[in-house]
Amino acid sequence: MAEATCTAAVNIAVVKYWGKRDTSLILPTNSSLSVTLSQDHLRSLTSAQVIEGAASSQDRLWLNGVEEEIQQGGRTERCLSEMRALRKQIEDKDSSLPKLSTSPVHIASENNFPTAAGLASSASGLSALIATLSSLYALEANGISVSDLSRIARQGSGSACRSMFGGFVVWEMGQKADGSDSVAVQVAPREHWPTMQALILVVSDHKKGTSSTSGMQRTVATSELLQHRIKHVVPARMARMEKAIQAKDFDAFALETMTDSNQFHAVCLDTEPPIFYMNDVSKAIIALTVEINRISKQTENRLKVAYTFDAGPNAVLYAEEEDVKDVLEIVLRYFPQARGFEDPFGLKPVAKDTLPEGFNDKVIPVFENGSVSRIIHTEVGDGPRVLSKGESLLGADGLPKSLKA
Amino acid sequence: MAEATCTAAVNIAVVKYWGKRDTSLILPTNSSLSVTLSQDHLRSLTSAQVIEGAASSQDRLWLNGVEEEIQQGGRTERCLSEMRALRKQIEDKDSSLPKLSTSPVHIASENNFPTAAGLASSASGLSALIATLSSLYALEANGISVSDLSRIARQGSGSACRSMFGGFVVWEMGQKADGSDSVAVQVAPREHWPTMQALILVVSDHKKGTSSTSGMQRTVATSELLQHRIKHVVPARMARMEKAIQAKDFDAFALETMTDSNQFHAVCLDTEPPIFYMNDVSKAIIALTVEINRISKQTENRLKVAYTFDAGPNAVLYAEEEDVKDVLEIVLRYFPQARGFEDPFGLKPVAKDTLPEGFNDKVIPVFENGSVSRIIHTEVGDGPRVLSKGESLLGADGLPKSLKA
């Protein structure tokens, strides 16, 4: 029985993707760059099985144990059909291979982080799907490159293409109308800069924000500033960001990261009607970060931390390993955690009592428990991982094991 | 004894001024356009006296009853000396005139709105000063135009130049290095569109924001988007806005007003470090406004209200007279007023119980008392007014009457 199980990671952009030039193929209006985070802490796990001569004659999908309809013409269906087409080419060349491309598949996928955390799971989910199907169909073994696969992941969920690689990854916007050159490329593997760590500050929000899919197209339609960003700002920033990563220059990396996050939210605000993703807690996290950097600039002539915000109020803070505990303890002072904070790196951080000399302790008020509802400490990670058969989510009957539990 | 007393109004820009090309002369990086509000509700009142052969040999200034130092080289001193220079020219031409230009002046100024309301008082304050000195020195009577005076008010506080006129006023950015063509010009008097009214929603904020003087120069120094706004967006918007005003086209006026407010805050966010003036309450006011317009667009194919935010969390809503009660009652439903709301136009508004059909009543939550701490209902107003001697703030002894009270 042909079966495969893979995991894939979340990625957090430091040069943001916002705007499609082709909404069906998911072709972006600008290139973007992200850091793939570790699958040890946040990951999607996906299993796929080819159902041969089975009772079931159609593809089936379970997300977090709940069956979902695979919509005709939808993104999952598009990914499946693109992956089957690649398998078909290989089968056509080598008639000894099993004819998997014509059989239905069953797919089960789970995230190890709650959707309620407000973390976008589509990037890790879709890249885990593509990695799993690639493994199932032996595509990489037959010469299909990861960038080729990223082209298909992109059609499932734009930024998913970047999770097809570990480390530091560019999504080249490409120029062609068919999207064949709109693919992910690795700038540097995680081993190049393994000390890059991240703190995800999950910010509670009572209201549902604008979905990124509809939000970005409203920006494309109405923001004059977006056009300037696309044409004049991003190309130069991409070059500077790649250089900063190659040189492991944290100051340059941090400055570009923060400036790009600000500009992304600026074009959201320049949308009609305006889109707001950051709330007052998000803004307080920025003010705290600015103060941490002001002091470290003064005393050590360097930056210690970079903030970035995606299409929601959560903050992601990037920092070098040696600075994370310090940053974390200042964060814990202002954003107390009701249940404490268990650090997976064994840092044992405690809310900072004594702030650095000159630090303006009134920069933001001490917030209520729960304003930051959860903190996740992770680091730069690798690309999709192939797991052993024993870790499959699907049983021998082709159904999720969880259904019987 | 030469003496004069004038009042001048607050103005609220609908195309925003943000950025100076000359910080000393206060020359802006783009033209702007504002509505002068009524002095019946918000005004600065200023009295000036020439102290001839007096014990006091220097200029003195009292703001809201407290004496302030007139700093050498400061903005008040600059305005005084420019006004004296104009007086001197007139005296030189007509030797029969009293030599007021060489004598010290005493100035007292008061606002009828609390500073705590977070309303910028510099525009009304500086234009009241210039109007008062012009009256004291008989400048307009001797051929000095209001635009000439606005050039001097501009040097006291940029946007003060726009309060030198009533109605709808452009501040032309000008091109010359000496600022002689950076003056205010009236687009239309209040009588042209007298039904234009405004609601000021005073939003509480615990933290002090970035001052506009330092904030705008940080934006000039660091925002790439500002350059695009200045060169490519504002010139076209100014033309559209003037046209909307000439045609009394509220829909066009509202759309340009809201879009420009959003873009002003977008370039603030695109600043390093970013500047935030709007808070979560401000954003809720925007969401409510968008919903009001969505419904009126659906049912009557028109917009009912326009929001705009200056360098702070307060909202100013523009609406036509016929729509104000409706807008106000929806605002009161979501932002209850602890002490009720006394409407100076006699509208007797009550928090709306039944919303229009199709209105999403969950668009924002009902906020706590005090989230909007005060509502001011006013309308488009006239330019500076000359008051009678009896209304002077200064006594016969040249000191503020309030000091003896």
Side-chain angles (χ1 to χ4, degrees):
Chain A
M1 182 178 60
E3 182 179 64
T5 296
C6 291
T7 57
V10 167
N11 73 74
I12 302 290
V14 290
V15 179
K16 304 292 188 193
Y17 152 53
W18 196 251
K20 297 181 180 77
R21 65 177 200 278
D22 183 316
T23 54
S24 167
L25 289 170
I26 312 192
L27 300 178
T29 49
N30 62 260
S31 296
S32 55
L33 198 155
S34 60
V35 180
T36 298
L37 299 182
S38 173
Q39 291 164 66
D40 295 346
H41 310 112
L42 298 170
R43 55 125 190 86
S44 295
L45 187 153
T46 302
S47 297
Q49 249 181 41
V50 174
I51 310 294
E52 290 170 281
S56 166
S57 65
Q58 61 176 19
D59 301 326
R60 292 178 72 183
L61 170 70
W62 291 264
L63 293 182
N64 296 314
V66 179
E67 185 160 13
E68 306 269 333
E69 196 192 346
I70 299 176
Q71 293 185 338
Q72 204 59 28
R75 290 174 175 189
T76 305
E77 198 259 351
R78 181 190 288 254
C79 286
L80 267 165
S81 101
E82 290 268 353
M83 294 299 279
R84 279 199 169 102
L86 289 177
R87 171 69 190 179
K88 178 82 168 41
Q89 283 171 21
I90 295 165
E91 289 171 1
D92 288 350
K93 272 187 248 170
D94 181 351
S95 62
S96 72
L97 289 175
K99 302 279 178 294
L100 303 179
S101 64
T102 49
S103 297
V105 290
H106 283 193
I107 300 160
S109 189
E110 285 182 2
N111 300 321
N112 72 340
F113 50 95
T115 309
L119 295 166
S121 56
S122 61
S124 56
L126 265 293
S127 62
L129 173 68
I130 297 303
T132 301
L133 293 174
S134 170
S135 173
L136 182 72
Y137 290 155
L139 299 186
E140 283 181 80
N142 282 282
I144 305 293
S145 73
V146 179
S147 280
D148 277 344
L149 296 175
S150 78
R151 186 177 51 78
I152 301 174
R154 185 203 79 221
Q155 296 173 62
S157 172
S159 60
C161 71
R162 297 187 309 235
S163 281
M164 294 303 296
F165 290 98
F168 303 82
V169 186
V170 164
W171 173 9
E172 300 282 7
M173 65 175 287
Q175 300 299 332
K176 296 186 185 162
D178 69 356
S180 56
D181 58 349
S182 187
V183 297
V185 177
Q186 192 180 55
V187 175
R190 68 167 291 285
E191 295 74 20
H192 168 71
W193 199 353
T195 51
M196 177 66 80
Q197 299 201 343
L199 296 171
I200 303 172
L201 276 49
V202 178
V203 172
S204 316
D205 210 22
H206 41 273
K207 69 164 204 326
K208 176 135 180 55
T210 310
S211 86
S212 60
T213 301
S214 69
M216 65 173 74
Q217 288 321 100
R218 227 162 74 203
T219 304
V220 169
T222 63
S223 169
E224 294 191 65
L225 298 184
L226 179 71
Q227 299 308 317
H228 186 73
R229 166 173 168 76
I230 289 168
K231 284 186 209 122
H232 301 290
V233 180
V234 172
R237 175 165 294 142
M238 287 293 289
R240 289 193 302 268
M241 186 65 95
E242 285 196 43
K243 207 174 134 194
I245 290 166
Q246 296 300 356
K248 291 185 271 186
D249 177 347
F250 185 81
D251 274 27
F253 172 88
L255 194 64
E256 297 296 340
T257 296
M258 295 186 286
T259 311
D260 198 72
S261 174
N262 294 338
Q263 191 171 84
F264 154 52
H265 292 278
V267 299
C268 287
L269 216 167
D270 191 50
T271 300
E272 165 53 32
I275 302 167
F276 297 94
Y277 288 119
M278 294 191 284
N279 63 20
D280 285 351
V281 174
S282 313
K283 284 154 53 180
I285 294 168
I286 290 181
L288 187 61
T289 310
V290 168
E291 183 66 8
I292 292 171
N293 281 336
R294 189 183 67 82
I295 294 296
S296 69
K297 194 78 191 165
Q298 231 169 50
T299 55
E300 304 176 50
N301 196 30
R302 66 187 188 88
L303 304 179
K304 272 193 173 173
V305 57
Y307 59 80
T308 187
F309 293 80
D310 278 343
N314 295 340
V316 176
L317 305 184
Y318 285 112
E320 291 264 27
E321 184 177 20
E322 58 169 339
D323 295 321
V324 166
K325 189 175 183 187
D326 206 36
V327 170
L328 193 46
E329 293 194 331
I330 294 177
V331 167
L332 287 172
R333 176 196 172 106
Y334 289 96
F335 297 102
Q337 297 297 297
R339 296 160 306 175
F341 173 68
E342 282 280 338
D343 188 80
F345 292 78
L347 290 184
K348 303 192 198 308
V350 287
K352 193 154 258 182
D353 208 31
T354 315
L355 289 161
E357 204 183 315
F359 196 101
N360 172 14
D361 69 342
K362 299 275 188 298
V363 62
I364 58 168
V366 172
F367 277 72
E368 283 176 3
N369 258 332
S371 300
V372 167
S373 61
R374 189 180 170 195
I375 298 175
I376 298 162
H377 178 186
T378 186
E379 63 187 338
V380 56
D382 51 6
R385 298 175 187 167
V386 179
L387 303 192
S388 66
K389 213 172 169 109
E391 302 189 69
S392 178
L393 295 174
L394 295 165
D397 59 356
L399 297 176
K401 293 174 181 171
S402 63
L403 293 183
K404 283 144 258 170
Chain B
M1 182 178 60
E3 184 180 62
T5 295
C6 291
T7 57
V10 166
N11 72 75
I12 302 290
V14 290
V15 179
K16 303 292 187 191
Y17 152 53
W18 196 250
K20 297 181 180 78
R21 64 178 201 278
D22 183 317
T23 53
S24 167
L25 288 170
I26 312 189
L27 300 178
T29 50
N30 63 260
S31 296
S32 54
L33 199 156
S34 59
V35 180
T36 298
L37 300 182
S38 172
Q39 291 164 67
D40 294 346
H41 312 113
L42 298 170
R43 55 123 189 89
S44 295
L45 187 154
T46 301
S47 297
Q49 248 180 41
V50 174
I51 310 294
E52 289 171 281
S56 164
S57 63
Q58 61 174 19
D59 301 328
R60 292 178 72 182
L61 171 69
W62 290 264
L63 293 182
N64 295 315
V66 178
E67 186 161 12
E68 305 269 333
E69 195 192 348
I70 299 175
Q71 291 184 339
Q72 204 59 29
R75 291 175 173 186
T76 306
E77 198 259 353
R78 180 190 287 255
C79 286
L80 268 165
S81 102
E82 290 267 354
M83 295 298 279
R84 279 198 170 103
L86 290 177
R87 171 69 189 178
K88 178 83 167 41
Q89 283 172 21
I90 294 165
E91 290 171 2
D92 288 350
K93 272 187 247 168
D94 181 351
S95 62
S96 73
L97 290 174
K99 302 278 178 293
L100 302 179
S101 65
T102 49
S103 296
V105 291
H106 283 192
I107 300 160
S109 189
E110 284 180 3
N111 300 323
N112 73 340
F113 49 96
T115 309
L119 295 165
S121 57
S122 60
S124 55
L126 265 293
S127 63
L129 173 68
I130 297 302
T132 302
L133 292 173
S134 170
S135 174
L136 181 72
Y137 290 155
L139 299 186
E140 284 181 78
N142 281 281
I144 305 292
S145 74
V146 179
S147 280
D148 277 344
L149 295 174
S150 79
R151 186 177 50 79
I152 302 174
R154 185 203 78 222
Q155 296 173 61
S157 173
S159 58
C161 70
R162 296 186 310 234
S163 280
M164 294 303 296
F165 290 97
F168 303 82
V169 186
V170 164
W171 172 10
E172 300 282 5
M173 65 174 289
Q175 300 299 332
K176 296 187 186 162
D178 69 356
S180 56
D181 57 350
S182 186
V183 298
V185 178
Q186 191 180 56
V187 175
R190 68 167 292 285
E191 295 74 20
H192 168 71
W193 199 352
T195 51
M196 177 66 80
Q197 298 201 342
L199 296 171
I200 303 173
L201 276 50
V202 179
V203 172
S204 314
D205 209 23
H206 42 274
K207 69 164 206 321
K208 174 136 181 54
T210 309
S211 87
S212 59
T213 301
S214 69
M216 66 173 71
Q217 288 321 101
R218 227 162 75 204
T219 304
V220 169
T222 64
S223 169
E224 294 191 67
L225 299 183
L226 178 71
Q227 299 308 316
H228 185 73
R229 165 172 168 77
I230 289 169
K231 283 185 209 123
H232 301 289
V233 180
V234 172
R237 176 166 295 141
M238 287 292 292
R240 290 192 302 268
M241 186 65 95
E242 285 195 44
K243 206 174 135 194
I245 291 166
Q246 295 301 356
K248 292 184 269 186
D249 177 347
F250 185 81
D251 274 26
F253 172 87
L255 194 64
E256 298 295 341
T257 295
M258 296 187 284
T259 311
D260 198 72
S261 175
N262 295 338
Q263 190 170 84
F264 155 51
H265 292 277
V267 299
C268 287
L269 217 166
D270 190 50
T271 301
E272 166 53 32
I275 302 167
F276 296 95
Y277 287 120
M278 293 190 285
N279 62 22
D280 286 352
V281 174
S282 313
K283 284 153 53 180
I285 294 168
I286 290 182
L288 187 61
T289 310
V290 168
E291 183 65 10
I292 292 171
N293 281 336
R294 188 182 69 81
I295 295 297
S296 70
K297 193 78 191 166
Q298 231 168 51
T299 54
E300 304 176 49
N301 196 30
R302 66 185 188 92
L303 304 180
K304 272 194 173 174
V305 57
Y307 59 80
T308 186
F309 293 80
D310 279 341
N314 296 340
V316 176
L317 306 183
Y318 286 112
E320 292 263 28
E321 184 177 19
E322 58 170 338
D323 295 320
V324 167
K325 188 174 183 186
D326 206 36
V327 170
L328 192 47
E329 293 193 330
I330 294 177
V331 167
L332 287 172
R333 176 195 173 107
Y334 289 97
F335 298 101
Q337 298 296 297
R339 297 161 305 178
F341 173 68
E342 281 282 336
D343 187 80
F345 292 78
L347 291 183
K348 303 190 198 310
V350 286
K352 193 154 258 183
D353 209 32
T354 315
L355 289 161
E357 202 183 317
F359 196 101
N360 171 15
D361 69 343
K362 298 276 188 298
V363 62
I364 59 168
V366 172
F367 278 72
E368 284 176 2
N369 256 332
S371 301
V372 166
S373 60
R374 191 180 167 193
I375 297 174
I376 298 162
H377 177 186
T378 184
E379 63 187 337
V380 57
D382 52 5
R385 298 175 187 169
V386 179
L387 303 192
S388 67
K389 214 173 169 105
E391 301 189 69
S392 177
L393 296 173
L394 295 165
D397 57 359
L399 297 176
K401 293 173 180 169
S402 63
L403 294 183
K404 283 146 259 171

